[in-house]
Every structure is written in C-alpha cells, then in structure tokens.
Amino acid sequence: MLFKATAQKTVVFPLLLVNTLLLIQAVPHKELAFLHLFAILCSFLSLFLRYEFQIDRDTLTYRTYIAWFKVYAKTVKPRDIKKILFKRLSWKTKLTVVKVENGWNMRVALFNPPNVFKELETFAREYDVDIQKTSDY
C-alpha cells in the first residue's frame, strides 16, 4: 500500500518570508547576502517536498521527491530491519522510526491515509521484526 506526505508549509512559508526580509537588509554585505540567497533557495525548494512510503509484500520503500524529481529512495527487506519504534511526535501525532542495519532510518509521520501505523505493525508481526512502543503511544 502506498502512503503519501508533504512538507509542512505552515512552518516553511514564514521562514521564507523572514529570510527574504533579511536579504534586503544584507545587500551591502556580499557574504551575508549569498548565505541569505542560499537559505531562500532551500526554503523555496522545501515547499515542493513530498514523501512516499510504500509497504509491499516483503519490502518497505521510502522515497523523497522535490516536485517530480526523485532525490532519495531506500528499500529494505525485513532481514535488514533492527527494530520498529512506535512513539509520539506530539500529543496527537504518532511517529514510527524503522531502524535499519545500514544507512539512514526511516521516519514515518503525517502520512495519508493514517492507517500506515497499523499496516506497519502488521508487517512487523508477519516478518517477526522487533517492535518497541513507548509508554505514551
């Protein structure tokens, strides 16, 4: 099953505005202006971030896109997973971290449809992957 998420634009957009205002004041200082331009570019590109997490029969796949360009993809099999940690990101938002043997861990939060956690737990039980849940989950 395929799950999708996007960057939180409510956080990124105000930062983009602040960086733009700071750039106007930093124009006389060339080094500072360059850093602000770089920050504006990164903030602007982050508005187009989107994520996909796919649970197949025997693999987990995590992909990151900027607009339509794939910038990161990782596929793991159950034997490559150390454990799956279920916890809270905030008081109402759940988070799952898939800890893998090699490479970066997969962070799964704010994906739609929201049954991603149930599907991931089913996957872990089916392939006997270690599950750890925090007390507040």
Side-chain angles (χ1 to χ4, degrees), residues 77-89:
K77 296 211 177 273
R79 67 177 177 268
D80 299 328
I81 300 173
K82 288 185 203 174
K83 67 180 174 181
I84 299 177
L85 176 63
F86 293 89
K87 57 185 182 178
R88 290 273 176 190
L89 185 61

Side-chain angles (χ1 to χ4, degrees), residues 58-110:
D58 62 341
T59 59
L60 298 177
T61 305
Y62 190 89
R63 294 187 239 14
T64 304
Y65 296 90
I66 295 179
W68 301 276
F69 301 105
K70 187 187 319 181
V71 292
Y72 178 75
K74 182 173 188 150
T75 301
V76 294
K77 296 211 177 273
R79 67 177 177 268
D80 299 328
I81 300 173
K82 288 185 203 174
K83 67 180 174 181
I84 299 177
L85 176 63
F86 293 89
K87 57 185 182 178
R88 290 273 176 190
L89 185 61
S90 66
W91 66 274
K92 75 173 201 174
T93 306
K94 293 180 179 180
L95 167 71
T96 301
V97 180
V98 179
K99 300 218 178 237
V100 296
E101 293 291 335
N102 295 324
W104 292 343
N105 298 329
M106 298 177 184
R107 289 177 49 101
V108 180
L110 302 171

Side-chain angles (χ1 to χ4, degrees), residues 1-4 52-57 59-61 63 112-116 119:
M1 183 169 205
L2 182 66
F3 302 93
K4 296 182 179 187
E52 289 182 354
F53 182 69
Q54 188 168 359
I55 301 175
D56 289 326
R57 212 176 108 256
T59 59
L60 298 177
T61 305
R63 294 187 239 14
N112 289 316
N115 68 338
V116 63
E119 294 286 328

